[in-house]
Amino acid sequence: MSKTLIGPVSQILPMDNMSLNGPLKDSHLSIIKNGAILIENGHILTLGSYEDLKNENAKKIFIEQPTVALPGFIDAHTHICFAGNRAQDFAKRIEGKSYLEIQREGGGILHTVKETRYATQEELTNSLLLRLDQELLQGVTTVEIKSGYGLNVSEELKILKAIQRASNEHYITCIPTCLAAHLLPADFTNTKEYLAFLLKELLPIVSKKKLAKRVDIFIEQGAFSATESFSYLKAAKNMGFEITVHADQFHVGGSIVAAQVKACSADHLEATTELEMAQLLQAEVVPVILPGASLGLGIPFAPARKLLDFGLPLAIASDWNPGTAPMGKLLTQAALLATYEKLSAAEIFAGLTYRAAKALRLVDRGILAPSLRADIVFFPTADYRQILYYQGALLPWKSMIKGEFCCVNIC
Ligand code: NIG
Ligand code: FE
C-alpha cells in the first residue's frame, strides 16, 4: 500500500522516551518543530523534520495552517453504553442529598439499569455511536467502555454486543470491559451469591464469545466488599481476564485489592492515602483518575499531584456515565485537573496518551513512533500550551485513526 506524508506540522509531540512513572516537566517533552509524519498501512513509518522527509515518494497531505500533532487521546474508563439519563439524581444532589441517599431512593446505578434493560441492542449501539462522535471531537481515538447496566446474563451480553457492534461501525477502537459486578441487582439478595453466579454463568460466555478481555468491579460500601471482590477477581484472572478495579472512590479498600491481584489499573482513588499509593507502586498498578466524577459529584479531585510525586504513573479518563459524570468532555476535565492539581502539560498529555495505553495494556499506541498505530490528533495552533489553556474550547481540526482521517469538525 502507498505511503502518506503529512506536514509541515508546527510542533509534533511524539510523547516518546518519557518516563512511565512519576512527575514530568514540559522540558521532558521532545518537540519536533516543522515536522512531518510518514505513514504506511495505518502505522507510522517514520517522523522527523519536514525538510528531511518532504521528498519521500509518498502521497502528500500538505498542512497550511499552524498545527500541533499528538498521539490520539485514550479515554481509559467510561460507561457510555446506557439508555436514559439521571437528571433527577442531579436535582437531588444539588439539594444536598448524598450518593447513598439517592441510591436508596431509587436513583443511582439501578435506575440506569432499568432504562438500559428496556432499550434494544440496536438502540444502545446507536446512542453509543453518537457518544463516540463526541469523544472523537475532543481528540479521543481509543475508548474503554464498561458494561454494568445489565446486571444479569442476557442484559450484560446485550450491552457487550452493542459495544462490539459500535466498535465495528465507528472509527474509534472500543475496548470493552465486563462490569457486571457494578452493584447487586434487585434479582439477588446476596453479593457473594451474585458474584458466584457471574463467575459460573456470565464470564465463561463473555470469554468464549470474545466480548471482553477485561473484568472490573466496584469495591465500595453499598457495592462489593474487599474480601469478596478479591476472590471474584482472582477467579476472573484465572479464567484469563485482565483486571481493573473501581477503587477508593469514597472509602479506601479497593486499591489494596487491586494491588493484591496485580490489576492493570485502579480507577477513581479520590480517597486514596499514601498507604494505598505504596501498594499500587509496588504492584505496578496504574492509577486512573476521573476528574469528571469529582465535577459531577462536587467532591475533591483524586490526589493527582501526590500520586505523581509518589512515583506512580497517572492516567486520566472521563468516567463518562449518566449518573456521576454526565459531561464526557475529557479534554476539558483534564485541563481543569491541571489547574487545580498543578499538573504540567507533559503530565496531562502523558495521562491521556502513553500512560492511559499502559492502563489498558495497549502496546501499539499512545506514542508516535515507527511501527506504532497512526492514531494522531491535530490541533489548530502552533503552541501546544494553548491546548490546555483553552480548557477544551480549542478542539482538534482533525483526528486520524490507523492512518485514516476521521470526519470530525471538518471532513
Ligand atoms: O465510576 N462508581 C461506580 N460507577 C460509576 C458511576 C456509574 C453511575 O452512577 O451510573 C463511576 O462513577
Ligand atoms: Fe466508573
Side-chain angles (χ1 to χ4, degrees):
M1 206 190 259
S2 64
K3 299 176 193 169
T4 305
L5 184 79
I6 304 168
V9 179
S10 323
Q11 295 182 328
I12 302 175
L13 275 62
M15 303 304 291
D16 61 347
N17 299 316
M18 293 174 73
S19 152
L20 176 64
N21 286 45
L24 294 166
K25 291 192 171 23
D26 282 14
S27 55
H28 294 123
L29 293 166
S30 66
I31 301 177
I32 305 172
K33 290 190 183 138
N34 252 323
I37 309 170
L38 189 63
I39 290 163
E40 189 178 42
N41 287 335
H43 289 74
I44 294 169
L45 214 51
T46 189
L47 62 174
S49 94
Y50 183 71
E51 271 314 297
D52 292 348
L53 292 172
K54 70 178 185 199
N55 295 323
E56 283 282 334
N57 181 15
K59 178 183 151 200
K60 309 270 165 31
I61 295 183
F62 188 77
I63 299 187
E64 289 178 24
Q65 66 185 102
T67 296
V68 171
L70 279 154
F73 298 146
I74 297 169
D75 194 348
H77 179 136
T78 81
H79 307 247
I80 54 175
C81 192
F82 62 85
N85 71 78
R86 300 240 292 279
Q88 71 284 6
D89 287 13
F90 171 69
K92 287 182 180 174
R93 200 174 302 124
I94 55 180
E95 272 171 18
K97 290 206 166 132
S98 75
Y99 185 87
L100 278 177
E101 276 173 313
I102 293 169
Q103 191 168 296
R104 268 187 238 115
E105 290 175 10
I109 292 166
L110 291 184
H111 181 85
T112 300
V113 170
K114 232 184 250 166
E115 296 203 87
T116 305
R117 284 183 179 183
Y118 273 125
T120 63
Q121 189 183 307
E122 199 185 353
E123 285 165 345
L124 289 177
T125 301
N126 289 340
S127 57
L128 177 53
L129 286 168
L130 295 176
R131 291 183 195 115
L132 290 173
D133 285 346
Q134 293 303 311
E135 290 272 16
L136 197 50
L137 280 172
Q138 295 250 312
V140 175
T141 52
T142 297
V143 180
E144 186 263 11
I145 308 171
K146 299 171 197 302
S147 64
Y149 295 122
L151 309 190
N152 65 28
V153 173
S154 60
E155 294 297 320
E156 283 292 308
L157 292 176
K158 179 178 84 181
I159 295 171
L160 290 170
K161 284 180 193 160
I163 297 169
Q164 189 179 58
R165 183 78 190 269
S167 190
N168 291 337
E169 288 185 16
H170 205 276
Y171 295 104
I172 287 186
T173 319
C174 303
I175 309 289
T177 302
C178 183
L179 176 60
H182 201 179
L183 207 65
L184 185 69
D187 332 55
F188 279 79
T189 49
N190 179 296
T191 45
K192 262 200 204 92
E193 276 169 24
Y194 178 59
L195 293 178
F197 167 79
L198 295 179
L199 286 169
K200 187 158 173 279
E201 306 293 341
L202 177 66
L203 294 190
I205 306 177
V206 172
S207 165
K208 190 161 168 244
K209 295 199 175 212
K210 296 191 175 19
L211 287 168
K213 290 198 293 190
R214 315 174 78 244
V215 160
D216 193 352
I217 189 165
F218 183 21
I219 304 181
E220 187 53 66
Q221 291 180 18
F224 297 95
S225 75
T227 318
E228 65 200 11
S229 300
F230 174 77
S231 311
Y232 175 71
L233 295 176
K234 267 278 198 210
K237 200 169 181 176
N238 286 339
M239 292 169 74
F241 287 100
E242 289 175 350
I243 302 301
T244 176
V245 179
H246 274 71
D248 305 353
Q249 184 176 14
F250 303 108
H251 305 91
V252 291
S255 59
I256 301 290
V257 177
Q260 284 167 342
V261 300
K262 293 209 179 298
C264 300
S265 73
D267 303 21
H268 270 293
L269 308 185
E270 289 86 340
T272 301
T273 71
E274 289 197 356
L275 194 109
E276 287 76 32
M277 292 181 201
Q279 304 276 324
L280 294 175
L281 186 62
Q282 217 230 336
E284 296 181 17
V285 180
V286 179
V288 179
I289 64 156
L290 310 167
S294 298
L295 292 167
L297 289 169
I299 62 171
F301 290 125
R305 182 70 268 151
K306 275 198 190 135
L307 288 157
L308 284 162
D309 291 343
F310 205 86
L312 283 153
L314 185 85
I316 304 159
S318 73
D319 197 22
W320 190 359
N321 73 68
T324 58
M327 182 207 296
K329 299 250 182 283
L330 180 59
L331 189 55
T332 299
Q333 295 164 3
L336 294 175
L337 181 77
T339 309
Y340 282 92
E341 282 287 309
K342 307 286 174 265
L343 265 52
S344 68
E347 288 168 331
I348 295 288
F349 291 142
L352 298 175
T353 60
Y354 70 93
R355 288 175 170 177
K358 180 71 182 175
L360 296 178
R361 297 291 187 267
L362 298 172
V363 293
D364 60 351
R365 68 196 83 179
I367 293 175
L368 302 181
S371 87
L372 297 192
R373 274 169 60 124
D375 288 4
I376 311 169
V377 55
F378 298 90
F379 284 92
T381 170
D383 177 356
Y384 74 88
R385 294 173 306 177
Q386 289 192 5
I387 298 170
L388 297 177
Y389 161 73
Y390 281 116
Q391 298 180 315
L394 182 79
L395 291 170
W397 65 268
K398 265 196 195 302
S399 293
M400 168 175 270
I401 299 181
K402 266 197 138 182
E404 239 192 277
F405 276 116
C406 316
C407 286
V408 199
N409 296 333
I410 307 166
C411 290

